Amino acid sequence: MKKIVFASVFFVLTGCFSAKLIPPTQGDVERVQSKFPNYSLAELSEGKTLYEQHCRSCHGLKKPSARTEEKWGEIVPKMAVKANKKYPDSLNADSQEKILKYLITMSSAPRAK
């Protein structure tokens, strides 16, 4: 019973402290075309979905703009290893790449005023 209560409190708090992620747009894709040729809005959106599904399961989500491209490049591989230890084979190389591209793309998005 204590485990159920703890898990419920954890998921409620995780949801409260997670970043509200803005939906990606074609403008975001166009902004990074030189970095990611042939990148599509569908791939960017899938990266967002994967980020929300996999990263939220262990901790609150960070806004992509909270880290630089270089920092996300360090964090994502390390977190993928941790996720795959906890949930074996949950993040394959393709999923990891989509998450990283999403975070890099959105980390450079113009900030709303």
Side-chain angles (χ1 to χ4, degrees), residues 5-19 56-62:
V5 171
F6 175 75
S8 298
V9 169
F10 174 78
F11 287 116
V12 168
L13 290 176
T14 299
C16 292
F17 294 111
S18 286
R56 181 178 280 146
S57 65
C58 294
H59 53 75
L61 300 178
K62 304 292 184 204

Side-chain angles (χ1 to χ4, degrees), residues 31-113:
R31 191 178 62 255
V32 296
Q33 277 298 311
S34 62
K35 187 175 300 211
F36 305 127
N38 303 315
Y39 195 40
S40 70
L41 182 56
E43 289 174 293
L44 180 58
S45 297
E46 187 177 354
K48 177 183 182 281
T49 299
L50 289 166
Y51 177 59
E52 291 171 324
Q53 290 173 344
H54 291 279
C55 303
R56 181 178 280 146
S57 65
C58 294
H59 53 75
L61 300 178
K62 304 292 184 204
K63 287 185 180 182
S65 61
R67 306 282 189 275
T68 63
E69 176 179 343
E70 293 76 23
K71 196 66 177 170
W72 283 124
E74 295 171 11
I75 293 170
V76 171
K78 289 177 186 176
M79 290 291 106
V81 169
K82 287 184 177 187
N84 285 328
K85 283 182 182 176
K86 189 170 184 176
Y87 307 105
D89 301 319
S90 63
L91 280 175
N92 61 29
D94 183 56
S95 296
Q96 182 178 325
E97 181 181 353
K98 286 178 181 173
I99 291 170
L100 183 57
K101 282 183 176 180
Y102 162 74
L103 291 167
I104 288 171
T105 299
M106 299 310 287
S107 71
S108 65
R111 297 207 169 71
K113 295 183 180 194

